[in-house]
Amino acid sequence: MIKDLILKNRSYRRFYQEVDIKPETLKELVDLARLSPSVANKQPLKYILSCDPQENALIFPHLAWAGYLENWPGPEEGERPSAYIIILGDTKISQSFSIDLGIATQSILLGAVEKGLGGCNIASVKKEALRKTLEIPNRYEILHVIALGKTKETVVIETAGADGDIKYWRDSQGVHHVPKRPLDEIIIG
Ligand SMILES: Cc1cc2nc3c(=O)[nH]c(=O)nc-3n(C[C@H](O)[C@H](O)[C@H](O)COP(=O)(O)O)c2cc1C
């Protein structure tokens, strides 16, 4: 079960944009993050949910997609995410968020896959511009965005070769290939 979900939980960057995601679905995903571990149980993460096309259109320009696909500027109109979860760190609760953030994002994305959706972690965010656009108070550090939707692309895992090249690539059919280092290379003792 968990391996199936982890295998399916690839980074998807093209979506059926017209397929709506309900606010309730986003709340259920954030609830998975809420129930996940937190350093010292401080629970400093806060969330902004967007599944409204107009709000989505405000968020999209602040995100950068697939840095290794040099000639691809990101999903075109019609293939963009149907929803976003913006993850914030509440600086009144903590000054460090990193491990909580990783756990929360994985909980959310695995939950999305279980619901038949898919998504992508986006750390390349124009944070101050996004803060201005959405009027996010300074108290909240903008940490990360998760893009979500009904996925429109096939992503396959490859085994990284001896040359160690881990750059993902897209073939002529539009299939996205993701090299993963082999197990016997990453277990060193
Ligand atoms: C913390 C983090 C930040 C990421 N930021 C971006 C990003 O800004 N833009 C993007 O297109 N993909 C981003 N990704 C997705 C990675 O490129 C992706 O996880 C990697 O290529 C492996 O593919 P996979 O998720 O299908 O295993 C990010 C992933 C992680 C874990």
Side-chain angles (χ1 to χ4, degrees):
M1 257 314 256
I2 186 68
K3 187 159 184 186
D4 289 345
L5 283 178
I6 286 176
L7 282 170
K8 267 191 214 160
N9 180 31
R10 305 274 50 88
S11 295
Y12 298 99
R13 299 180 178 90
R14 287 175 291 170
F15 304 92
Y16 293 97
Q17 189 175 337
E18 70 280 9
V19 177
D20 288 339
I21 295 180
K22 294 191 166 49
E24 198 50 45
T25 302
L26 296 181
K27 285 186 188 165
E28 286 167 13
L29 294 178
V30 171
D31 204 34
L32 299 177
R34 183 182 73 86
L35 297 169
S36 296
S38 170
V39 176
N41 204 27
K42 285 191 177 175
Q43 304 164 66
L45 300 182
K46 302 285 169 73
Y47 302 85
I48 293 173
L49 313 181
S50 173
C51 53
D52 166 64
Q54 281 176 354
E55 192 173 0
N56 288 349
L58 293 177
I59 296 169
F60 178 81
H62 302 296
L63 310 178
W65 297 84
Y68 291 145
L69 304 182
E70 284 170 11
N71 297 318
W72 189 65
E76 59 188 34
E77 183 62 41
E79 295 189 337
R80 292 181 179 165
S82 306
Y84 297 97
I85 296 176
I86 301 172
I87 307 182
L88 310 170
D90 188 339
T91 61
K92 288 213 169 145
I93 298 177
S94 181
Q95 300 300 315
S96 85
F97 310 102
S98 63
I99 296 180
D100 280 23
L101 174 63
I103 293 170
T105 58
Q106 186 72 346
S107 294
I108 288 169
L109 284 163
L110 289 175
V113 167
E114 191 187 48
K115 288 176 183 296
L117 301 169
C120 190
N121 281 293
I122 307 279
S124 297
V125 181
K126 290 178 203 148
K127 293 179 179 170
E128 286 319 304
L130 183 64
R131 179 186 299 286
K132 249 190 181 166
T133 302
L134 298 186
E135 298 178 4
I136 298 170
N138 286 329
R139 164 181 174 175
Y140 301 107
E141 189 179 326
I142 299 173
L143 302 174
H144 200 81
V145 176
I146 296 180
L148 291 164
K150 184 168 163 45
T151 66
K152 199 181 182 181
E153 68 179 354
T154 305
V155 180
V156 293
I157 289 178
E158 308 287 354
T159 301
D163 62 1
D165 187 357
I166 44 60
K167 287 186 182 150
Y168 48 76
W169 51 283
R170 202 178 276 173
D171 67 25
S172 56
Q173 309 298 310
V175 174
H176 185 89
H177 299 258
V178 183
K180 296 286 182 189
R181 299 188 202 280
L183 199 55
D184 62 4
E185 187 186 312
I186 63 171
I187 299 175
I188 60 151

